[in-house]
C-alpha cells in the first residue's frame, strides 16, 4: 500500500492553498502533518480522502489515480475530520451499526464488538453519543473510520481537547494502528510528533518546507552553534576544556555536568573523548543536544 502525491495544487478564490506539493507515503508509516493554521494540512487530507477536489495534480493509491474510481479509493481510506461529526442523538452501538450498514459490513455484530473493545468503549457502548466526554466521542469517531478496516487512516487533529490520560490512550491506539496501515495525522502538539511519527512533513503557506524523519529535521535549519552535554565522574579543570580548538564555550550546569558549545558537534565529541583519555578522566556520558521540534517548526514557518 502506498500514497503518491504529485504537484498537488489548490486555490480558494485568489488564495493559493497548496502550491504544487509532492510526497509519497508507504505502508506501516505514521506521517505527522505539521503547519500553522491555514498552511494547507486539512485541504491536503481532504483531497486524499476524496472529499475535496484539487485544481490540478495527481493523487495515487497503489499507483491508481483516485479520480479514476473515487468509490473504490474511498473504501481504502478512513477519514476522521477535526470536528468529528457524529449523530449525537444516537446510541454508540446504534451509530456504529448505522455506519456498518452504509459500508455493507458482513458479520456486523462481530466487527462492532471488536471495535468497541479496540477503542476502549466497552463501558460507554450503551450511552447516547451526546452523553459522552470529548475523549470518548473521539473514540467513537475512530471506531467509525475503522469500521471497514481501511488500509489508510487520515486523522485531522485527533487528540484536540483530550485530557492527559485520554491523550496517552489515543496515542497508543494510533501507534498500534500504524503497524499495518498508513496513518497520516495533523497536530499542533509537538509531543505527539516525537511520540508517534516515523516521519514529519511541515507545511507553510501551501509549500512543503520540511519532509524527513524527526532526527533529521535539524538539517533544515542553519545553526551557528551546536551543543554537547557531558558528565565526568570526577570534578575537572574545565578551563582546560576551553583550550580545545573545536570548543567555543564551556558552561558548568551542576556537579560534574557541562554544556559544551561549538561549531562542529562531531569534532567536539571526538576532542572531548581524547581529552578525557589523555587526562585519565572518567567520562560517564556525552550526547548531542536533542532536536527541538518546536524551535525548528517556528523557524521553518517564520514564526
Amino acid at each position: 500500500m502506498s500514497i503518491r502525491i504529485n504537484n498537488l495544487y489548490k486555490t480558494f478564490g485568489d488564495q493559493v492553498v497548496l502550491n504544487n506539493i509532492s510526497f509519497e507515503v508507504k505502508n506501516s508509516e505514521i506521517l505527522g502533518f505539521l503547519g500553522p493554521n491555514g498552511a494547507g494540512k486539512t485541504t491536503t487530507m481532504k483531497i486524499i480522502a476524496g472529499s475535496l477536489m484539487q485544481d490540478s495534480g495527481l493523487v495515487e493509491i497503489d499507483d491508481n489515480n483516485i479520480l479514476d474510481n473515487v468509490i473504490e479509493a474511498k473504501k481504502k481510506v478512513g477519514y476522521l475530520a477535526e470536528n468529528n461529526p457524529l449523530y449525537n442523538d444516537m446510541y454508540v452501538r446504534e451509530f456504529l451499526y448505522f455506519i456498518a450498514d452504509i459500508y455493507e459490513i458482513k458479520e456486523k455484530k462481530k466487527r462492532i464488538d471488536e471495535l468497541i473493545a479496540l477503542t476502549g468503549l466497552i463501558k460507554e457502548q450503551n450511552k447516547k453519543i451526546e452523553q459522552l466526554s470529548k475523549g470518548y466521542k473521539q473514540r467513537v469517531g475512530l471506531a467509525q473510520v475503522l469500521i471497514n478496516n481501511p488500509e489508510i487512516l487520515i486523522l485531522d487533529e485527533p487528540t484536540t481537547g483530550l485530557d492527559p490520560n485520554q491523550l496517552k490512550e489515543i496515542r497508543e491506539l494510533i501507534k498500534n494502528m500504524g503497524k499495518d496501515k498508513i496513518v497520516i495525522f495533523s497536530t499542533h502538539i509537538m509531543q505527539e510528533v516525537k511520540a508517534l511519527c516515523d516521519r514529519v512533513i511541515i507545511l507553510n503557506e501551501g509549500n512543503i518546507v520540511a519532509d524527513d524523519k524527526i532526527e533529521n529535521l535539524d538539517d533544515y535549519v542553519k545553526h551557528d552553534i551546536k551543543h554537547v552535554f557531558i558528565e565526568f565522574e570526577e570534578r575537572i579543570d574545565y578551563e582546560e576544556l576551553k583550550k580545545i580548538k573545536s570548543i567555543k564555550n564551556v558552561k558548568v550546569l551542576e556537579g560534574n555536568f557541562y554544556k559544551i558549545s561549538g561549531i562542529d558537534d562531531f569534532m567536539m565529541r571526538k576532542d572531548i573523548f581524547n581529552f578525557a583519555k589523555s587526562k585519565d578522566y572518567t567520562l560517564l556520558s556525552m550526547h548531542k543536544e536533542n532536536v527541538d521540534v518546536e524551535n525548528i517548526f517556528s523557524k521553518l514557518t517564520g514564526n
Side-chain angles (χ1 to χ4, degrees):
M1 176 58 56
S2 65
I3 302 173
R4 189 168 72 91
I5 310 296
N6 187 36
N7 291 326
L8 204 60
Y9 184 83
K10 179 67 179 176
T11 60
F12 290 127
D14 295 331
Q15 182 184 2
V16 177
V17 181
L18 295 175
N19 188 21
N20 294 314
I21 67 169
S22 300
F23 62 92
E24 188 172 350
V25 195
K26 296 182 179 180
N27 197 39
S28 301
E29 186 172 21
I30 300 179
L31 174 67
F33 240 32
L34 305 181
N37 292 331
K41 305 184 301 297
T42 296
T43 300
T44 304
M45 290 189 288
K46 283 183 176 180
I47 291 172
I48 297 172
S51 62
L52 184 66
M53 182 75 71
Q54 67 267 38
D55 294 343
S56 62
L58 186 68
V59 178
E60 291 182 325
I61 296 178
D62 276 350
D63 297 323
N64 297 311
N65 188 339
I66 65 171
L67 297 181
D68 292 340
N69 195 333
V70 176
I71 299 299
E72 285 303 311
K74 284 185 175 182
K75 287 180 180 179
K76 296 181 179 181
V77 179
Y79 175 52
L80 180 63
E82 181 181 2
N83 58 1
N84 190 12
L86 301 168
Y87 290 109
N88 286 322
D89 58 340
M90 281 182 150
Y91 292 90
V92 172
R93 272 192 167 273
E94 178 189 14
F95 173 72
L96 293 177
Y97 268 101
F98 170 68
I99 300 299
D101 285 337
I102 292 174
Y103 279 97
E104 299 179 345
I105 301 296
K106 297 178 180 178
E107 297 184 353
K108 290 190 287 271
K109 183 180 183 303
K110 179 181 177 182
R111 181 59 179 156
I112 289 169
D113 286 345
E114 290 172 351
L115 289 174
I116 284 175
L118 178 67
T119 56
L121 284 167
I122 293 175
K123 292 182 179 179
E124 311 295 324
Q125 60 183 308
N126 296 315
K127 287 184 179 180
K128 276 191 173 184
I129 292 174
E130 65 183 2
Q131 297 174 309
L132 302 179
S133 67
K134 169 76 173 178
Y136 280 110
K137 286 180 179 178
Q138 287 294 79
R139 292 168 190 260
V140 174
L142 284 170
Q144 173 192 350
V145 301
L146 288 168
I147 196 84
N148 65 323
N149 196 24
E151 297 170 87
I152 299 165
L153 290 176
I154 299 175
L155 312 175
D156 196 355
E157 302 279 355
T159 59
T160 299
L162 304 186
D163 66 38
N165 290 330
Q166 293 168 339
L167 273 173
K168 183 178 178 181
E169 291 167 357
I170 295 298
R171 284 176 189 166
E172 192 62 33
L173 181 57
I174 293 172
K175 197 166 187 176
N176 287 332
M177 291 188 296
K179 291 177 181 178
D180 59 359
K181 300 179 186 295
I182 289 176
V183 178
I184 301 174
F185 78 96
S186 68
T187 183
H188 287 103
I189 303 172
M190 297 303 165
Q191 292 91 335
E192 283 181 1
V193 177
K194 296 174 184 177
L196 290 175
C197 294
D198 301 307
R199 177 172 147 224
V200 172
I201 286 179
I202 300 178
L203 283 174
N204 189 43
E205 296 181 350
N207 296 288
I208 293 177
V209 294
D211 179 358
D212 217 322
K213 295 181 178 180
I214 291 179
E215 58 265 30
N216 297 333
L217 286 180
D218 204 38
D219 296 336
Y220 288 81
V221 180
K222 182 180 178 182
H223 296 289
D224 294 327
I225 297 295
K226 306 284 187 178
H227 304 293
V228 174
F229 296 90
I230 61 175
E231 179 191 7
F232 287 102
E233 184 176 31
E234 57 276 286
R235 183 167 296 278
I236 69 165
D237 183 359
Y238 64 88
E239 291 294 336
E240 293 182 1
L241 272 174
K242 292 182 179 180
K243 296 175 183 178
I244 297 174
K245 188 176 180 180
S246 63
I247 292 175
K248 303 300 180 185
N249 188 47
V250 177
K251 181 179 181 181
V252 181
L253 299 179
E254 59 177 330
N256 299 325
F257 286 89
Y258 302 87
K259 180 180 180 181
I260 313 298
S261 305
I263 303 298
D264 186 334
D265 58 58
F266 174 80
M267 187 57 67
M268 281 194 293
R269 285 179 289 148
K270 183 178 178 181
D271 288 344
I272 291 166
F273 178 82
N274 289 332
F275 167 79
K277 185 177 179 182
S278 67
K279 300 291 184 181
D280 201 26
Y281 291 139
T282 303
L283 186 60
L284 296 179
S285 66
M286 176 165 59
H287 64 271
K288 296 190 299 180
E289 186 174 39
N290 291 330
V291 175
D292 190 330
V293 180
E294 290 88 346
N295 287 341
I296 292 172
F297 175 86
S298 294
K299 289 178 181 179
L300 289 175
T301 57
N303 298 319

